[in-house]
């Protein structure tokens, strides 16, 4: 049995039925183990064993009332994974597929991502199996207020700072933060992703998508390529997907697709600005379906219940959810000569798909590096709140670009292949992210 097999056997035994968590840990362990074994001090201190056990998980019931007066009970969690390098930080997800395993995988990856940003943030994630999709604004408000009635005891500007994720956008953050402020009777930056009218940072809404494109550009440039003129297949049409599309178009790339859980739309000539604006309003204000784009515009075709991976492109940006890009999708992309996959979502690529990309020389940027722009600007929001100031769009955007460039450099530093050719971004992100956290844990002693 190799060290990796032995470690994973123990982890599976301790965390049965948590396939997403096991998958996220296995990816990290596979890439860091040789480096880890070279560091006797980390091994002796059991850094990997400690890092894969959350500091704590808070599980609670959220009771709320529908508009018709029916009582509903949902389950909610906050997984506080590791606060060695800063207060716990990470989003909240509202989606019927949310389980403890999903939130543990997300919280675990957040430790590495937050470390990579260079900002002082620990790793956490939370959420609920509540589905905001078919609920009224008032129902969402009552759910959020009830959730915060419990959650407020466990968070705070120096303790744990939640933000958005799938199903949690400006509306939800506003209800949650309003209730936090009421219960605590003090205004502090205990959440990020707030509206700019009450302490939110410029560019936070755009940051994950913009950051993903900045990372992609750095990755292409490092390998002698450029973004301008490249065709990009994007999945999802949420916050991350639409702002990735916006920045990609601005950089002269051609966005070929967007999707949601109902299927995908293909833009015959690449998406234009009018179509992008329509998508923003469709998804942000009207909460509509992506299929409506095909009804609205000529040259836009809708494919129901399908993934966009069969559409020819140079670059793929999966920006919807975990495990959305599997081996079959990877084969389609490889057959169409994709050169790079840049993850906007968290863990969108399955392990077999990642293996195929590696084997075929396709660059693969893991979400914990390429989607770190969102949490990075959250970190900047925390700083602005603490200083009681707000920076301009230009200032935040400059900082975001610098942070994404530095994350890319960290990946190159720790992920450069021995043949000096292609960078292994998964190794680079995992080792670089781990190093800072491991050194902090080592310094604190046994705890
Ligand atoms: P949104 O809720 O804004 O959008 C999610 C998108 O993904 C929607 O198009 C949704 O379609 C689709 N989707 C979600 N779940 C599924 C599913 N099970 N099957 C098919 N499609 C699905 O979320 P975000 O854009 O914020 O998040 C997208 C990804 O990016 C997630 O992996 C998230 O963790 C990650 N991320 C988000 C950050 C942020 O700042 N928001 C930061 C870093 C990463 P539908 O509406 O039909 O459900
Ligand atoms: O996955 C992520 O990095 C997020 N959902 C953003 C977290 C944050 O605290 O801004």
């Amino acid at each position: 049995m190799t060290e990796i097999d032995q470690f994973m056997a123990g982890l599976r035994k301790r965390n049965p039925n948590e396939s997403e968590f096991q998958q996220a840990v296995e990816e990290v362990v596979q890439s860091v183990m040789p480096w880890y074994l070279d560091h006797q001090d980390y091994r002796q201190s059991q850094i990997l064993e400690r890092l894969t056990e959350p500091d704590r998980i808070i599980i609670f019931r959220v009771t709320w009332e529908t508009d018709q007066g029916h009582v509903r009970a949902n389950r909610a969690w906050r997984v506080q994974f590791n606060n060695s390098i800063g207060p716990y930080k990470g989003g909240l997800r509202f989606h019927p597929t949310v389980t403890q395993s999903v939130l543990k995988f997300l919280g675990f990856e957040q430790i590495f991502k937050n470390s990579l940003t260079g900002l002082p943030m620990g790793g956490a994630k939370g959420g609920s199996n509540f589905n905001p999709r078919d609920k009224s604004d008032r129902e969402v408000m009552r759910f959020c207020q009830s959730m915060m009635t419990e959650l407020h005891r466990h968070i705070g500007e120096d303790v744990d700072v939640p933000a958005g994720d799938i199903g949690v956008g400006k509306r939800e953050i506003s209800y949650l933060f309003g209730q936090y402020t009421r219960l605590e009777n003090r205004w502090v930056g205990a959440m990020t992703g707030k509206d700019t009218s009450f302490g939110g940072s410029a560019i936070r809404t755009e940051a994950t998508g913009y950051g993903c494109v900045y990372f992609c550009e750095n990755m292409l440039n490092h390998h002698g390529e450029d973004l301008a003129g490249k065709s990009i297949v994007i999945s999802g049409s949420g916050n991350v997907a639409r702002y990735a599309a916006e920045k990609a178009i601005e950089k002269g790339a051609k966005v070929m697709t967007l999707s949601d859980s109902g299927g995908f739309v293909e833009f015959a000539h690449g998406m234009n600005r009018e179509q992008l604006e329509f998508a923003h309003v469709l998804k942000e204000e009207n909460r509509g379906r992506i299929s409506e784009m095909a009804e609205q515009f000529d040259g836009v075709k809708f494919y129901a219940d399908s993934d966009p991976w069969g559409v020819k492109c140079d670059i793929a940006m999966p920006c919807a959810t975990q495990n959305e890009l599997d081996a079959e999708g990877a084969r389609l992309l490889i057959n169409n000569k994709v050169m790079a996959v840049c993850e906007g979502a968290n863990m969108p690529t399955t392990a077999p798909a990642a293996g195929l990309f590696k084997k075929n020389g396709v660059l693969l940027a893991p979400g914990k590096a390429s989607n770190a722009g969102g949490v990075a600007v959250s970190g900047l929001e925390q700083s602005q709140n603490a200083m009681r100031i707000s920076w301009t769009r230009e200032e935040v955007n400059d900082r975001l670009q610098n942070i994404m460039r530095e994350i890319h450099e960290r990946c190159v530093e720790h992920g450069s292949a021995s043949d000096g050719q292609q960078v292994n971004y998964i190794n680079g992100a995992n080792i670089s992210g781990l190093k800072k956290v491991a050194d902090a844990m080592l310094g604190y002693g046994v705890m």
Side-chain angles (χ1 to χ4, degrees):
M1 232 190 191
T2 66
E3 299 271 354
I4 296 172
D5 293 340
Q6 215 171 337
F7 184 90
M8 284 310 301
L11 186 112
R12 285 196 189 95
K13 201 168 163 197
R14 288 190 300 278
N15 304 275
N17 309 318
E18 294 193 346
S19 63
E20 294 88 357
F21 179 55
Q22 293 171 7
Q23 182 186 341
V25 173
E26 188 158 21
E27 186 230 71
V28 167
V29 170
Q30 274 178 351
S31 65
V32 304
M33 194 55 93
W35 176 86
Y36 182 71
L37 293 177
D38 272 349
H39 289 76
Q40 189 56 25
D41 43 355
Y42 295 153
R43 263 182 101 175
Q44 213 155 26
S45 294
Q46 299 265 292
I47 294 293
L48 272 187
E49 284 78 1
R50 288 159 62 187
L51 202 62
T52 47
E53 203 59 59
D55 288 349
R56 70 189 65 76
I57 302 178
I58 299 138
I59 310 178
F60 53 101
R61 184 190 67 248
V62 181
T63 313
W64 56 282
E65 215 171 35
T66 67
D67 290 339
Q68 289 73 39
H70 301 302
V71 176
R72 296 281 180 263
N74 283 89
R75 186 177 297 175
W77 293 261
R78 185 71 180 166
V79 180
Q80 296 180 332
F81 227 111
N82 188 291
N83 66 352
S84 300
I85 64 165
Y88 300 110
K89 182 87 195 83
L92 296 172
R93 177 178 290 191
F94 292 172
H95 197 272
T97 58
V98 165
T99 61
Q100 184 161 305
S101 169
V102 168
L103 297 177
K104 279 172 73 176
F105 115 64
L106 289 162
F108 178 70
E109 293 215 327
Q110 200 82 42
I111 305 170
F112 296 79
K113 186 194 303 192
N114 294 1
S115 165
L116 278 168
T117 65
L119 300 173
M121 301 183 289
K125 201 83 185 192
S128 173
N129 56 5
F130 173 73
N131 184 2
R133 167 91 73 80
D134 45 11
K135 307 295 186 299
S136 70
D137 282 352
R138 283 298 190 232
E139 288 174 329
V140 171
M141 180 187 80
R142 287 194 290 274
F143 177 83
C144 289
Q145 290 179 342
S146 180
M147 178 162 176
M148 188 52 82
T149 302
E150 174 60 36
L151 189 62
H152 84 105
R153 307 170 215 283
H154 310 288
I155 65 172
E157 73 278 25
D158 294 323
V159 180
D160 182 356
V161 183
D165 193 77
I166 291 176
V168 178
K170 279 268 161 64
R171 176 181 62 170
E172 291 74 17
I173 295 286
S174 302
Y175 292 143
L176 288 161
F177 185 72
Q179 180 76 346
Y180 177 86
T181 304
R182 175 163 74 152
L183 291 168
E184 295 281 328
N185 191 28
R186 32 181 226 131
W187 197 107
V188 288
M191 293 195 74
T192 60
K194 302 182 293 293
D195 192 84
T196 49
S197 64
F198 57 94
S201 176
I203 306 274
R204 175 61 189 90
T205 309
E206 300 89 333
T208 313
Y210 281 14
C212 188
V213 172
Y214 294 148
F215 190 94
C216 188
E217 192 175 35
N218 279 295
M219 178 165 77
L220 293 181
N221 292 347
H222 187 80
H223 292 87
E225 291 282 352
D226 197 12
L227 199 54
K230 296 288 186 299
S231 54
I232 311 189
V233 157
I234 297 181
S235 67
S237 49
N239 173 269
V240 178
R242 281 181 286 104
Y243 289 100
E246 183 167 300
K247 187 53 75 177
I249 293 171
E250 198 185 306
K251 295 269 181 190
K254 260 170 56 170
V255 174
M256 306 313 295
T257 62
L258 284 180
S259 74
D260 63 20
S261 54
F264 76 92
V265 283
E266 181 177 4
F267 304 94
H269 312 291
M271 190 183 195
N272 62 36
R273 282 174 197 277
E274 188 195 348
Q275 291 163 338
L276 176 71
E277 273 319 305
F278 182 89
H280 281 325
V281 174
L282 176 75
K283 288 291 176 179
E284 242 158 59
E285 289 168 30
N286 302 341
R287 301 180 191 278
R289 307 307 297 155
I290 204 70
S291 56
E292 293 171 43
M293 293 204 73
E295 294 155 23
Q296 181 72 20
F297 296 101
D298 292 336
V300 181
K301 196 162 175 224
F302 176 65
Y303 298 82
D305 303 320
S306 312
D307 296 327
W309 312 127
V311 174
K312 192 167 166 44
C313 64
D314 302 307
I315 297 159
M317 280 191 191
C319 297
T321 193
Q322 66 270 6
N323 291 329
E324 56 169 321
L325 174 47
D326 60 9
E328 195 190 323
R331 277 189 209 100
L332 290 169
L333 287 165
I334 291 164
N335 285 343
N336 279 330
K337 307 244 171 333
V338 71
M339 65 170 69
V341 177
C342 199
E343 296 183 344
N346 287 307
M347 203 169 76
T349 310
T350 65
L356 285 171
F357 289 135
K358 188 176 173 203
K359 200 169 135 207
N360 287 277
V362 177
L363 292 167
L364 175 56
K368 53 171 85 79
S370 46
N371 74 32
V375 76
V377 173
S378 276
L380 300 179
E381 184 170 326
Q382 288 177 267
S383 302
Q384 293 169 77
N385 290 166
M387 291 189 283
R388 301 271 193 263
I389 57 168
S390 56
W391 292 324
T392 62
R393 278 182 75 86
E394 291 69 30
E395 179 146 20
V396 178
N397 194 38
D398 283 351
R399 286 176 192 265
L400 172 62
Q401 287 190 69
N402 283 336
I403 290 171
M404 296 315 294
R405 186 176 40 73
E406 285 166 6
I407 294 174
H408 180 265
E409 282 166 9
R410 291 185 184 107
C411 290
V412 171
E413 185 190 345
H414 291 278
S416 289
S418 46
D419 59 10
Q421 288 295 308
Q422 216 181 46
V423 178
N424 184 324
Y425 285 90
I426 296 180
N427 287 352
N430 287 334
I431 295 171
S432 176
L434 173 62
K435 188 175 182 316
K436 190 174 164 192
V437 179
D439 286 341
M441 289 170 73
L442 212 56
Y444 295 156
V446 179
M447 55 192 283

